[in-house]
C-alpha cells in the first residue's frame, strides 16, 4: 500500500479529525453561499430593526445596529480563519528558518537562537502583544493613509500573532536537524561537498514535514484564540470588519439586553478551534511513522 | 551547582535587559508622547513650544540615548509618576502585584491538584471510557476562548442566578468571607485556562511513569495498586509536571490579564491594559518590566526546584547550556 493511501485510511479512522475538517470547510465556504441563498449581507444596517429576535428574515436575529447576526458570524469566521491560518503559516516559516539555522549551524548560533526561543516561550506574551498591537505605525515611517487602512490592520494582527506561534516548530525542526545530521547519508553528502543549504533543504526538511504540519495545525487554533482575545480587547481586527472577537466586544456592553449576542461568536470560536485541535490530533496519528504499521 | 546557578541567573538577566530595551522602544512608539498630551491639554502651545519642550525633556534624542538616560534614572530608584493616578508608579504597582499573585497562586494550585487527580484517573485505564471522557474535556478546555468563558460565567452565575458578583473586589474593609465571593468567578476562569493543558501533561507523565521497570518491581514485591500509584509512579511523574507548569507562568500571567479585565479585578494585567489604552505610558512601561521580571524569577525558581528534586540532573555548565 502506498504512503498516501495509508495516510488517508488512518486519517479517516480518526472520526473527530474528519468531523473537524468538515466543520472547517463549512466555516470557510458558508458566508457567500448562505448570503446568496438568503439574500442578506453582513453590513446592511437597519436602525429600525435593532435586537430583532431570531426568526423571520433573520435566522439568528439582528445586533445593536440591526445587522444580521448569522451573516456577521459567517463573515467574521472567514476573517478569523484567514487571519489564523495566515499567521500559522507565517509562524511555521519563521520556526522552520530558526530551527534549520540552529540545527545545521550548531555552536553559538544554535545557543543564541534556542535561548531566544526559550525566552519567547517563558515571557508573558499577551501584555507585550497588546503594546505591539497599539504601536503607532506612522512613528515607524509608514504613511498615515496606509497605516490606517484595513489591509494594514489585518497585516499587523497577522504579524503580531505570528510572532508568538513559531517556537514549537523551531524546536521540532532543530531536533530533526540534529538527529539527521549524524546519519551516514548526510555525512556522505557533506563529504561530497553538499552545501549547508542543500543539506538543510534536501535532507533535513523532508524529515520534519510531518511534525511541522501537525504543529502548524495546532498553532492555527491557538492563534485564532489569540486573535479573538486581541480583537475583543479592541486591539486586533477593527470594526466595521467583523471578527468573532470584536463582535463579542460589542456584545459585552449589551449583555443584559441581548445575552445571545455574546453566546454565538464564542461558540463559533470554540467550534473552530476544537476542530483544528482534532484535525491536528488526527494528522498526528495518521502521519506518525512510529505508529503501528497496520 | 554554583556555576550552573550563576549561568542561569546571568541568562535571565540578559533576557530582562534585552526586554527592558524592547519594551522601552515599543512604548516610545505609542500614539502620542507626553508633549502631544500637553498640547492636547493646552491649545495655546505653538509648534515651536512643542519642539522646545521635546528638547527640554530629551525626547528628541536618539532611542539608544533616551533609553540609557531612562535606565540611569530608573536604576537610581526613580521609576516616575503615573499620569492617571498622579502618584509614584511603585505605589500603584505593588498592591496590584499582590492582587495578581493572589489570583495566580490560587488558580495554579487548584489547576495542579485537579489536573493531577484527573491525570491519574485517566492514566489508570488508558483508552478506557473515563480516559476518553477526560480527553474530550481537555480538548474542549484548550479550545475555549477564556474571555468568552468569563462572559458565560457572568451570564449564568451573576446575571441569571444572581449567586455571585459579576466583577469587582469587594469593600476593602469587609470581612474575608464576603470578599471571597469576588474571587470565585475569576479563579474559575483562570483555572480553566490551564487545567486542560496540565491534565494532558499529568496523564502522559503518569502513563510514562507506570510503564517503568521499577513499577513492575514494586508490583512484584507485593505493593498494592494505591501504593504503586501514589508513591512510586506519582513521585516520578511530578518531576516533568512541575517544570513544565512552572515554566508556564508567563502563560498564566497572560490569562490573568484577560481574567482581571473581564472581572474588574485590580491586578497587574488590568493595570497594563488600562494604562496602555489610557496613554499612561510610564505606568505601562514599569508594569510590563515588573511582569517580565516576576515571570523570569518564577522560571529560575522552577529550574532550581527541578534540579533539587531530581538527583539525576547534572549541574555542569555545559549541561545547563544545552
Amino acid at each position: 500500500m502506498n504512503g498516501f493511501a495509508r495516510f488517508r485510511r488512518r486519517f479517516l479512522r480518526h472520526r473527530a479529525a474528519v468531523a473537524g475538517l468538515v466543520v472547517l470547510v463549512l466555516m470557510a465556504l458558508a458566508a457567500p453561499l448562505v448570503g446568496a441563498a438568503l439574500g442578506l449581507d453582513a453590513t446592511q444596517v437597519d436602525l429600525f430593526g435593532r435586537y430583532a429576535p431570531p426568526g423571520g428574515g433573520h435566522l439568528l436575529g439582528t445586533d445593536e445596529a440591526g445587522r444580521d447576526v448569522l451573516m456577521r458570524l459567517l463573515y467574521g469566521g472567514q476573517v478569523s480563519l484567514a487571519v489564523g491560518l495566515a499567521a500559522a503559516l507565517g509562524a511555521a516559516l519563521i520556526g522552520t528558518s530558526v530551527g534549520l539555522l540552529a540545527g545545521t549551524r550548531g555552536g553559538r548560533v544554535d545557543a543564541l537562537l534556542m535561548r531566544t526561543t526559550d525566552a519567547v516561550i517563558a515571557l508573558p506574551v499577551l501584555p507585550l502583544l497588546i503594546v505591539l498591537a497599539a504601536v503607532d505605525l506612522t512613528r515607524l515611517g509608514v504613511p498615515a493613509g496606509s497605516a490606517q487602512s484595513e489591509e494594514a490592520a489585518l497585516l499587523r494582527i497577522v504579524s503580531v500573532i505570528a510572532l508568538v506561534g513559531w517556537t514549537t516548530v523551531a524546536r521540532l525542526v532543530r531536533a530533526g536537524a540534529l538527529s539527521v545530521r549524524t546519519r551516514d547519508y548526510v555525512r556522505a553528502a557533506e563529504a561530497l561537498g553538499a552545501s549547508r543549504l542543500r543539506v538543510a533543504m534536501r535532507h533535513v526538511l523532508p524529515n520534519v514535514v510531518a511534525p511541522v504540519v501537525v504543529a502548524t495545525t495546532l498553532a492555527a487554533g491557538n492563534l485564532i484564540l489569540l486573535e479573538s482575545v486581541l480583537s475583543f480587547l479592541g486591539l486586533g481586527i477593527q470594526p466595521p470588519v467583523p471578527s468573532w472577537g470584536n463582535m463579542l466586544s460589542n456584545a459585552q456592553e449589551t449583555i443584559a439586553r441581548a445575552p445571545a449576542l455574546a453566546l454565538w461568536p464564542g461558540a463559533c470560536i470554540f467550534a473552530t478551534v476544537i476542530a483544528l485541535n482534532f484535525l491536528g490530533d488526527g494528522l498526528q496519528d495518521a502521519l506518525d511513522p512510529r505508529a503501528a504499521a497496520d | 551547582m554554583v556555576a550552573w546557578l550563576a549561568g542561569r541567573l546571568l541568562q535571565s538577566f540578559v533576557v530582562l535587559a534585552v526586554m527592558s530595551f524592547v519594551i522601552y522602544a515599543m512604548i516610545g512608539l505609542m500614539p502620542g508622547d507626553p508633549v502631544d498630551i500637553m498640547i492636547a491639554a493646552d491649545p495655546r502651545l505653538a509648534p515651536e513650544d512643542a519642539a522646545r519642550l521635546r528638547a527640554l525633556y530629551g525626547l528628541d534624542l536618539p532611542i539608544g540615548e533616551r533609553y540609557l538616560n531612562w535606565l540611569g534614572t530608573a536604576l537610581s530608584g526613580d521609576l516616575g509618576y503615573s499620569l492617571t493616578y498622579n502618584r509614584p508608579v511603585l505605589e500603584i504597582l505593588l498592591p496590584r502585584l499582590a492582587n495578581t499573585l493572589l489570583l495566580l497562586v490560587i488558580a495554579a494550585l487548584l489547576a495542579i491538584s485537579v489536573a493531577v487527580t484527573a491525570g491519574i484517573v485517566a492514566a489508570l485505564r488508558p483508552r478506557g471510557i473515563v480516559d476518553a471522557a477526560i480527553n474530550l474535556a481537555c480538548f474542549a478546555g484548550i479550545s475555549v476562548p477564556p474571555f468568552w468563558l468569563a462572559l458565560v460565567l457572568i451570564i449564568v452565575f451573576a446575571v441569571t442566578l444572581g449567586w455571585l458578583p459579576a466583577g469587582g473586589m469587594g469593600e476593602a474593609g469587609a470581612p474575608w468571607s464576603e470578599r471571597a465571593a469576588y474571587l470565585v468567578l475569576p479563579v474559575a476562569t483562570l483555572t480553566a485556562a490551564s487545567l486542560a493543558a496540565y491534565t494532558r501533561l499529568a496523564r502522559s507523565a503518569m502513563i510514562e511513569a507506570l510503564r517503568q521497570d521499577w513499577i513492575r518491581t514494586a508490583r512484584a514485591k507485593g505493593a498494592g495498586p494505591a501504593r504503586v500509584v501514589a508513591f512510586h509512579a506519582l513521585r516520578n511523574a511530578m518531576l516533568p509536571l512541575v517544570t513544565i507548569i512552572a515554566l508556564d507562568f508567563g502563560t498564566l500571567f497572560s490569562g490573568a490579564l484577560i481574567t482581571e479585565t473581564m472581572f474588574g479585578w485590580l491586578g497587574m494585567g488590568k493595570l497594563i491594559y488600562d494604562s496602555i489604552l489610557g496613554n499612561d505610558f510610564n505606568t505601562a512601561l514599569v508594569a510590563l518590566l515588573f511582569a517580565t521580571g516576576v515571570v523570569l524569577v518564577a522560571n529560575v525558581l522552577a529550574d532550581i526546584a527541578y534540579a533539587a528534586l531530581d538527583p539525576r540532573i547534572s549541574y555542569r555548565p555545559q549541561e545547563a547550556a544545552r
Side-chain angles (χ1 to χ4, degrees):
Chain A
M1 192 190 297
N2 68 30
F4 182 72
R6 189 169 58 209
F7 164 77
R8 196 177 56 190
R9 199 164 58 87
R10 279 202 202 144
F11 182 77
L12 290 177
R13 210 169 46 190
H14 198 301
R15 272 170 296 175
V18 176
L21 189 60
V22 172
V23 167
L24 291 172
V25 170
L26 286 180
M27 212 55 108
L29 298 179
L33 296 181
V34 175
L38 298 179
L40 293 168
D41 74 53
T43 52
Q44 182 62 49
V45 172
D46 174 11
L47 292 178
F48 295 104
R50 300 169 61 195
Y51 302 114
H58 303 286
L59 278 180
L60 294 179
T62 58
D63 68 1
E64 74 280 357
R67 293 169 298 198
D68 185 73
V69 170
L70 179 63
M71 288 313 297
R72 281 183 72 70
L73 279 177
L74 295 179
Y75 273 104
Q78 281 194 323
V79 175
S80 292
L81 261 183
V83 166
L85 290 182
L89 288 179
L93 199 65
I94 303 175
T96 309
S97 317
V98 170
L100 279 181
L101 199 59
T104 52
R105 279 287 169 104
R108 290 202 174 164
V109 176
D110 179 31
L112 179 68
L113 287 175
M114 286 301 112
R115 291 296 77 73
T116 310
T117 310
D118 291 348
V120 172
I121 291 174
L123 287 173
V125 287
L126 186 59
L128 296 169
L129 291 189
I130 285 177
V131 182
L132 205 54
V135 161
D136 182 1
L137 289 179
T138 54
R139 283 175 187 258
L140 285 170
V142 181
S146 53
Q148 260 115 48
S149 67
E150 260 174 29
E151 291 76 27
L154 285 176
L155 193 62
R156 174 209 285 250
I157 181 76
V158 169
S159 347
V160 164
I161 60 180
L163 276 182
V164 290
W166 56 271
T167 49
T168 313
V169 172
R171 287 184 158 182
L172 284 171
V173 172
R174 172 181 176 268
L178 287 184
S179 83
V180 167
R181 218 166 54 158
T182 54
R183 306 261 173 87
D184 287 339
Y185 65 89
V186 174
R187 293 210 168 151
E190 278 172 353
L192 287 171
S195 68
R196 271 209 194 95
L197 188 66
R198 188 182 157 83
V199 168
M201 292 300 162
R202 284 296 301 264
H203 301 296
V204 178
L205 265 192
N207 274 296
V208 293
V209 165
V212 167
V213 166
V214 173
T216 305
T217 311
L218 298 176
N222 278 330
L223 294 182
I224 287 178
L225 277 183
L226 195 56
E227 177 272 307
S228 72
V229 169
L230 286 173
S231 298
F232 176 76
L233 293 174
L235 293 159
I237 296 166
Q238 299 296 330
V241 178
S243 89
W244 291 328
N246 69 30
M247 289 174 74
L248 272 165
S249 186
N250 286 339
Q252 188 194 18
E253 287 156 24
T254 58
I255 197 167
R257 172 150 192 197
L261 290 184
L263 293 179
W264 293 118
C268 287
I269 301 172
F270 178 62
T272 307
V273 176
I274 205 170
L276 279 163
N277 281 326
F278 279 139
L279 182 63
D281 198 45
L283 286 175
Q284 181 151 44
D285 283 2
L287 291 169
D288 188 356
R290 283 165 303 182
D294 54 350
Chain B
M1 175 77 185
V2 174
W4 170 82
L5 190 59
R8 188 67 186 76
L9 285 174
L10 182 70
Q11 188 189 321
S12 300
F13 183 76
V14 169
V15 172
L16 187 61
V18 171
M19 284 316 293
S20 77
F21 178 72
V22 171
I23 294 170
Y24 185 85
M26 287 201 302
I27 293 288
L29 293 169
M30 292 289 107
D33 63 21
V35 175
D36 288 337
I37 295 169
M38 285 183 200
I39 294 174
D42 186 355
R44 285 170 305 172
L45 283 175
E48 308 82 82
D49 298 328
R52 241 190 6 253
L53 280 170
R54 286 211 167 83
L56 178 66
Y57 292 119
L59 289 170
D60 55 350
L61 296 173
I63 176 77
E65 228 168 299
R66 267 192 290 152
Y67 169 71
L68 290 178
N69 285 343
W70 168 81
L71 191 66
T73 323
L75 290 181
S76 74
D78 180 7
L79 289 169
Y81 276 72
S82 155
L83 188 75
T84 317
Y85 301 94
N86 279 320
R87 276 167 44 204
V89 170
L90 270 189
E91 251 178 57
I92 313 286
L93 198 75
L94 294 178
R96 297 292 197 113
L97 188 59
N99 286 340
T100 294
L101 287 178
L102 177 72
L103 205 58
L104 285 184
V105 168
I106 298 179
L109 289 180
L110 200 61
I112 292 171
S113 25
V114 178
V116 168
T117 314
I120 292 176
V121 171
L124 286 181
R125 282 183 201 281
R127 300 193 179 272
I129 185 154
V130 179
D131 182 31
I134 290 177
N135 186 32
L136 196 64
C138 285
F139 266 105
I142 58 170
S143 308
V144 71
F147 59 95
W148 182 63
L149 183 65
L151 271 180
V152 172
L153 289 177
I154 291 175
I155 292 178
V156 173
F157 292 100
V159 178
T160 310
L161 295 173
W163 289 352
L164 292 164
M169 301 183 59
E171 302 269 334
W176 184 232
S177 54
E178 272 175 40
R179 297 181 64 191
Y182 289 88
L183 263 170
V184 177
L185 292 184
V187 164
T189 307
L190 195 53
T191 305
S194 13
L195 182 58
Y198 294 178
T199 304
R200 290 176 132 195
L201 287 171
R203 174 183 178 273
S204 55
M206 272 308 282
I207 289 180
E208 183 62 32
L210 282 170
R211 209 182 272 157
Q212 302 297 324
D213 288 342
W214 66 74
I215 297 294
R216 207 170 7 155
T217 312
R219 281 197 180 124
K221 288 169 86 175
R227 188 180 156 83
V228 166
V229 167
F231 194 74
H232 297 267
L234 184 60
R235 269 185 65 175
N236 285 286
M238 282 307 278
L239 263 180
L241 209 58
V242 165
T243 11
I244 297 178
I245 289 174
L247 286 176
D248 197 46
F249 206 76
T251 314
L252 209 57
F253 197 95
S254 296
L257 188 148
I258 301 171
T259 309
E260 290 170 3
T261 310
M262 295 303 298
F263 291 101
W265 186 264
L266 298 177
M268 287 277 280
K270 186 168 161 50
L271 181 68
I272 293 173
Y273 177 62
D274 289 346
S275 53
I276 288 170
L277 291 196
N279 290 344
D280 187 356
F281 298 129
N282 191 47
T283 307
L285 174 64
V286 178
L288 278 165
L289 280 174
F290 261 73
T292 310
V294 166
V295 167
L296 289 175
V297 168
N299 289 343
V300 173
L301 290 180
D303 271 5
I304 295 175
Y306 184 59
L309 277 172
D310 192 345
R312 288 166 299 192
I313 295 286
S314 150
Y315 308 119
R316 283 175 300 136
Q318 56 265 46
E319 281 289 306
R322 188 162 41 94

